[in-house]
Amino acid sequence: MSRSQHDVGPNVMDASHDAEKGRPESRDFNEKEFLSRQSAEAAQRSTVRSVCLVMTCTAAMVVNISNSTAVSISLPTIGRDLGIEEYKLQWLISAYSLSSGCLLLFFGRLADLYGRKKAFTLGTLCQMAFSLGCGFVQDGITLDVLRGFQGLGAAATIPSALGILAHAFPPSKARSIAFATFAAGAPVGGAFGTIIGGVLTQLTSETWRSTFFLASGLSALCCIGGIFSFDADKPSMEADRRVDWIGAGLVTVGLVLIVFVLSEGDIAPDGWKTPYIIALLIIGVIFIGVFLAWEHHLENVMNDPNRVKSIWSPPPLMKLSIWGRANGRMAVILVIAFLNWSGFMSWSFWVQLYYQNYLQLTPVRTMVRFIPMFVTGCLCNFFVAVLVGRLPMVIFAVSGTLLTASAGILFAVINPSVTYWAFGFPSTVFSVFGADFVFSSGTIFIAKIAMGHEQSVAGALFQTMTQLGTAFGLTISTIVFNSTVNKESLALGVVPNIDGTNTPQAAQLKGYRSAQWTACSFCLFAALLAAVFLRGVGVVGHKKKGADHDSEKTVMDQAPQGSSVRASPAPEA
């Protein structure tokens, strides 16, 4: 066993570090009591119910991702049907990411406090209602607005599902399988949305509207599955169950403004020089800065043994110390997730536009080219489930991000005149490795280092980074695409229209290639971070149930009674 693997316990989750600090937080939450209750509840649940629980959470992830990819492949048809200019179509994707990404932390905290099952149920009902509404709209603005409300459901559903999985399965091999299965929902949802979206858009009388009707029905099934398979919500074990409304308002406003600017900056009247774009970006950054300062203040107050409870000192929405967990590797995992999703979603977005707008393929013919994503995604997560308890996390993170980067490279050098099997097929196969490997191993890692009462918040933080990565990646790659197309068009003596209808094909191809180089660079940077900073993490999965429980008990017994530390696995031999 390598040195890095042997040091997995103290390097990843140093229980003694928090224990020595004697955090007053122990008055509010007893981790040992939580783990004991968690194990008892898991023992009472039947195998069938456990399987249904995992399948329901996974289905919710499938619905969440397919809500973006099904719309993405339908964008050209939606634009023609509703008269939406091409440069404004990105908002149909960004509106969903805006609401779902910016409210994840807030809804994650509410789920931890008031019940994850309740939050999941309300979230799926919200998705069902607004998906149905999207299917009946008659103009682009209304569709943008309803897409934003549709994202509210995802903001409540996904962090709740992560918290439900973490609570339902104590540290064991079963937990690794559950999280790997849940992670499979991301690539499967991406492929499912692309495939079904293409088929329904082209072959049904309702065209793109059928995708929203299907999403509404699937959300209803998730709601029913959650009602019957999830454990009943238990009262929070925290002594102080107040909500940090000030922090929630600050972070929500800040993220909304930043994501709005990222989505709108390139299509504003004067681009990024537009006054309101500059102003909103500055204001958004200020709000995030104030939020971080406020959370730091609340955490210091909470850790003060002489603190006096007041309306101005609720528990923080997000403890800043969570970023420093595992010697700062928590922050590294979150940045890697951000960069990987920037690259993966940019790759997916521009590949679909390349097939439909450049090669002029129908939605169905485009869909067929994405089928390998579905197969590869399932195989990747099966691989993770089997080997996450044997291989160090750095292998998953580095190999996954490098393979996704290679998908971008293949499209960046693509020759449109050659067969799909030369560039398109291998690129589609490689693209999902980063999403699968990073999501699976990353969520298992986060579930390990997060305490029982903050599982949904920790999961929401991970999801927030992926959503921000999506917005950031699309924005930067769009800037690169437009800049390249304009430059190449002018070089050919053509002044492109605002809707790009007169853009020469040679300029378009150059733009698609530049956008894919941009997507590739995000993933290469993520691979570099993983190789440098994750070498000491070691194995994050679980190999043997008995050994896992014994090792966690040993570490927990070393901590003071009532300590709030999360049990960490002992070094594997």
Side-chain angles (χ1 to χ4, degrees):
M1 181 64 66
S2 67
R3 176 69 178 171
S4 63
Q5 286 177 275
H6 182 72
D7 288 342
V8 60
N11 277 347
V12 177
M13 285 147 283
D14 192 349
S16 62
H17 175 69
D18 284 341
E20 289 171 1
K21 293 171 71 173
R23 298 171 69 90
E25 183 183 342
S26 60
R27 298 182 303 175
D28 296 338
F29 183 77
N30 189 314
E31 186 74 3
K32 288 180 68 175
E33 182 182 345
F34 167 79
L35 289 173
S36 175
R37 190 175 77 176
Q38 181 188 37
S39 298
E41 292 175 357
Q44 295 174 357
R45 191 186 319 109
S46 68
T47 303
V48 173
R49 268 192 64 206
S50 294
V51 171
C52 291
L53 183 152
V54 174
M55 290 298 101
T56 299
C57 291
T58 304
M61 175 59 78
V62 170
V63 172
N64 175 45
I65 301 299
S66 64
N67 276 337
S68 293
T69 56
V71 172
S72 183
I73 199 171
S74 306
L75 287 179
T77 306
I78 295 174
R80 290 191 297 267
D81 194 11
L82 298 182
I84 305 174
E85 294 90 343
E86 184 177 3
Y87 70 95
K88 292 183 178 180
L89 287 176
Q90 181 184 332
W91 258 110
L92 295 179
I93 305 297
S94 299
Y96 185 84
S97 299
L98 185 69
S99 57
S100 63
C102 296
L103 289 166
L104 282 165
L105 277 174
F106 176 57
F107 283 136
R109 177 61 177 165
L110 292 181
D112 281 335
L113 287 177
Y114 300 114
R116 293 158 185 152
K117 183 175 182 178
K118 294 186 184 71
F120 184 92
T121 302
L122 293 174
T124 52
L125 287 174
C126 179
Q127 283 188 306
M128 179 187 70
F130 287 108
S131 295
L132 190 63
C134 286
F136 290 102
V137 300
Q138 299 298 325
D139 62 90
I141 294 178
T142 303
L143 185 56
D144 284 338
V145 172
L146 291 183
R147 283 284 287 168
F149 281 109
Q150 190 185 22
L152 293 178
T157 301
I158 300 305
S160 302
L162 282 163
I164 287 167
L165 288 176
H167 180 89
F169 297 95
S172 63
K173 178 65 175 178
R175 170 182 275 197
S176 297
I177 294 174
F179 273 97
T181 303
F182 178 75
V188 169
F192 176 81
T194 301
I195 294 170
I196 297 299
V199 171
L200 294 179
T201 298
Q202 184 172 337
L203 301 182
T204 65
S205 60
E206 296 294 331
T207 66
W208 58 269
R209 300 178 188 275
S210 301
T211 63
F212 290 111
F213 297 147
L214 177 62
S216 180
L218 292 177
S219 297
L221 290 178
C222 290
C223 180
I224 294 172
I227 291 174
F228 289 102
S229 65
F230 292 169
D231 297 332
D233 287 326
K234 298 293 192 299
S236 173
M237 296 177 66
E238 293 182 75
D240 192 341
R241 294 193 288 270
R242 292 177 295 162
V243 177
D244 175 18
W245 293 103
I246 295 177
L250 289 171
V251 70
T252 300
V253 172
L255 289 177
V256 165
L257 292 177
I258 290 175
V259 174
F260 173 81
V261 168
L262 290 175
S263 302
E264 187 75 10
D266 200 52
I267 60 176
D270 293 325
W272 290 93
K273 297 179 181 179
T274 306
Y276 74 81
I277 291 294
I278 298 174
L280 292 179
L281 179 60
I282 294 174
I283 295 172
V285 172
I286 291 175
F287 266 85
I288 294 299
V290 174
F291 165 72
L292 295 176
W294 174 250
E295 297 305 289
H296 178 69
H297 164 72
L298 291 184
E299 188 167 5
N300 286 338
V301 171
M302 184 181 69
N303 293 334
D304 183 358
N306 299 317
R307 79 176 190 256
V308 177
K309 187 174 180 180
S310 74
I311 60 173
W312 299 106
S313 60
L317 181 71
M318 178 194 72
K319 300 173 189 171
L320 293 190
S321 60
I322 198 172
W323 289 79
R325 301 267 178 92
N327 296 328
R329 289 186 177 91
M330 175 71 164
V332 176
I333 292 294
L334 294 174
V335 173
I336 289 173
F338 174 88
L339 292 170
N340 184 77
W341 257 257
S342 295
F344 173 66
M345 294 306 293
S346 297
W347 174 90
S348 177
F349 179 79
W350 292 109
V351 167
Q352 292 184 50
L353 291 183
Y354 168 82
Y355 281 141
Q356 294 191 68
N357 291 352
Y358 182 78
L359 295 184
Q360 297 296 308
L361 299 181
T362 63
V364 168
R365 293 183 66 190
T366 300
M367 169 273 295
V368 170
R369 284 159 172 76
F370 282 93
I371 290 178
M373 287 180 62
F374 178 85
V375 178
T376 306
C378 294
L379 292 177
C380 282
N381 284 278
F382 175 77
F383 179 83
V384 173
V386 172
L387 295 180
V388 73
R390 299 175 181 272
L391 298 178
M393 182 179 182
V394 66
I395 292 180
F396 293 102
V398 172
S399 62
T401 49
L402 285 178
L403 286 169
T404 300
S406 68
I409 293 174
L410 285 168
F411 259 94
V413 299
I414 194 170
N415 182 350
S417 63
V418 303
T419 176
Y420 159 78
W421 303 100
F423 293 93
F425 175 74
S427 177
T428 306
V429 169
F430 293 154
S431 65
V432 297
F433 276 87
D436 288 341
F437 285 1
V438 171
F439 196 101
S440 299
S441 59
T443 50
I444 293 172
F445 176 87
I446 289 174
K448 268 193 168 185
I449 66 176
M451 292 181 291
H453 67 292
E454 61 183 14
Q455 290 287 347
S456 292
V457 166
L461 183 57
F462 185 87
Q463 287 291 320
T464 298
M465 296 303 291
T466 63
Q467 294 285 353
L468 291 176
T470 298
F472 179 80
L474 290 179
T475 298
I476 300 302
S477 60
T478 299
I479 293 173
V480 172
F481 174 84
N482 290 335
S483 176
T484 303
V485 167
N486 290 336
K487 179 181 178 181
E488 293 297 317
S489 297
L490 292 174
L492 295 172
V494 177
V495 179
N497 297 333
I498 190 172
D499 59 2
T501 54
N502 66 332
T503 303
Q505 274 205 319
Q508 287 186 42
L509 179 60
K510 189 72 173 180
Y512 288 124
R513 286 174 170 170
S514 297
Q516 291 294 358
W517 280 120
T518 305
C520 166
S521 66
F522 293 136
C523 295
L524 288 177
F525 189 28
L528 178 62
L529 290 178
V532 173
F533 294 104
L534 298 185
R535 289 179 297 169
V537 170
V539 176
V540 297
H542 302 274
K543 192 172 182 180
K544 297 179 181 179
K545 183 175 180 180
D548 289 331
H549 285 303
D550 290 341
S551 62
E552 290 198 338
K553 182 178 184 301
T554 300
V555 175
M556 183 60 73
D557 287 344
Q558 294 173 354
Q561 179 68 26
S563 172
S564 63
V565 251
R566 177 75 172 169
S568 64
E572 291 191 17

Coordinates of all heavy atoms in Angstrom, one line a residue, residues 5-10 448 539 547-548 550-552 554-555 567-573:
Q5 N -2.0 6.3 0.3 CA -3.2 5.6 0.7 C -3.1 5.3 2.2 O -4.1 5.3 2.9 CB -3.3 4.3 -0.1 CG -3.7 4.5 -1.5 CD -3.7 3.2 -2.2 OE1 -2.7 2.8 -2.8 NE2 -4.8 2.5 -2.3
H6 N -2.0 5.0 2.7 CA -1.8 4.7 4.1 C -2.2 5.9 5.0 O -2.7 5.7 6.1 CB -0.4 4.3 4.4 CG -0.2 3.9 5.9 ND1 -0.7 2.7 6.4 CD2 0.5 4.5 6.9 CE1 -0.3 2.6 7.7 NE2 0.4 3.7 8.0
D7 N -2.0 7.1 4.5 CA -2.3 8.3 5.3 C -3.7 8.8 5.0 O -4.0 9.9 5.4 CB -1.3 9.4 4.9 CG 0.1 9.1 5.4 OD1 0.3 8.3 6.3 OD2 1.1 9.7 4.9
V8 N -4.5 8.0 4.4 CA -5.9 8.5 4.1 C -6.6 9.0 5.3 O -7.3 10.0 5.3 CB -6.7 7.4 3.4 CG1 -6.9 6.2 4.3 CG2 -8.1 8.0 3.0
G9 N -6.5 8.3 6.5 CA -7.3 8.7 7.7 C -6.9 10.1 8.2 O -7.7 11.0 8.1
P10 N -5.6 10.3 8.6 CA -5.3 11.6 9.1 C -5.3 12.7 8.1 O -5.5 13.9 8.4 CB -3.9 11.4 9.7 CG -3.3 10.2 9.0 CD -4.5 9.3 8.7
K448 N -18.5 11.9 3.6 CA -17.6 11.4 4.6 C -17.2 12.5 5.6 O -17.2 12.4 6.8 CB -16.4 10.8 4.1 CG -16.5 9.3 3.8 CD -15.1 8.7 3.6 CE -15.1 7.2 3.6 NZ -13.8 6.6 3.5
V539 N -8.1 6.4 -0.5 CA -9.3 5.8 -0.9 C -10.5 6.4 -0.1 O -10.4 6.6 1.1 CB -9.3 4.3 -0.5 CG1 -10.6 3.6 -0.8 CG2 -8.2 3.6 -1.4
A547 N -15.1 -3.7 8.6 CA -13.9 -3.0 8.8 C -14.2 -1.5 8.9 O -13.6 -0.7 9.7 CB -12.9 -3.3 7.7
D548 N -15.1 -1.0 8.1 CA -15.4 0.4 8.0 C -16.0 0.9 9.4 O -15.6 1.9 9.9 CB -16.4 0.7 6.9 CG -15.8 0.6 5.6 OD1 -14.6 0.8 5.5 OD2 -16.6 0.3 4.6
D550 N -15.7 -0.6 12.3 CA -14.7 -0.7 13.3 C -13.7 0.5 13.3 O -13.4 1.0 14.3 CB -13.9 -2.0 13.2 CG -14.8 -3.2 13.5 OD1 -15.8 -3.0 14.2 OD2 -14.4 -4.3 13.1
S551 N -13.3 0.8 12.1 CA -12.3 1.9 12.0 C -12.9 3.2 12.4 O -12.3 4.0 13.1 CB -11.8 2.0 10.6 OG -12.8 2.3 9.7
E552 N -14.2 3.4 12.0 CA -14.9 4.7 12.4 C -15.1 4.7 13.9 O -15.0 5.8 14.6 CB -16.2 4.8 11.7 CG -16.0 5.1 10.2 CD -17.2 5.7 9.6 OE1 -18.3 5.5 10.1 OE2 -17.1 6.3 8.6
T554 N -13.2 3.4 16.2 CA -11.9 3.6 16.8 C -11.6 5.1 16.8 O -11.2 5.7 17.9 CB -10.8 2.9 16.1 OG1 -11.1 1.5 16.1 CG2 -9.5 3.1 16.7
V555 N -11.8 5.8 15.7 CA -11.6 7.2 15.6 C -12.5 8.0 16.5 O -12.1 8.9 17.2 CB -11.6 7.7 14.2 CG1 -11.4 9.2 14.1 CG2 -10.6 7.0 13.4
A567 N -16.7 11.0 12.2 CA -15.8 9.9 12.3 C -15.1 9.7 11.0 O -15.7 9.9 9.9 CB -16.6 8.6 12.6
S568 N -13.8 9.5 11.1 CA -13.0 9.3 9.8 C -12.5 7.9 9.8 O -12.3 7.2 10.8 CB -11.8 10.3 9.8 OG -11.0 10.0 10.9
P569 N -12.3 7.4 8.6 CA -11.8 6.0 8.4 C -10.4 5.9 8.8 O -9.6 6.7 8.6 CB -12.0 5.7 6.9 CG -11.9 7.1 6.3 CD -12.5 8.0 7.3
A570 N -10.1 4.8 9.4 CA -8.7 4.5 9.8 C -7.9 4.1 8.5 O -8.5 3.8 7.5 CB -8.7 3.3 10.8
P571 N -6.6 4.3 8.6 CA -5.8 4.0 7.4 C -6.0 2.5 7.0 O -6.1 1.6 7.8 CB -4.4 4.2 7.8 CG -4.5 5.2 9.0 CD -5.8 4.8 9.7
E572 N -6.2 2.3 5.6 CA -6.3 1.0 5.1 C -5.0 0.3 5.0 O -4.0 0.9 4.7 CB -7.0 1.0 3.8 CG -8.4 1.5 3.8 CD -9.1 1.2 2.5 OE1 -8.5 0.4 1.7 OE2 -10.1 1.8 2.2
A573 N -5.0 -1.0 5.3 CA -3.7 -1.7 5.3 C -3.6 -2.4 3.9 O -4.6 -2.7 3.3 CB -3.7 -2.8 6.3

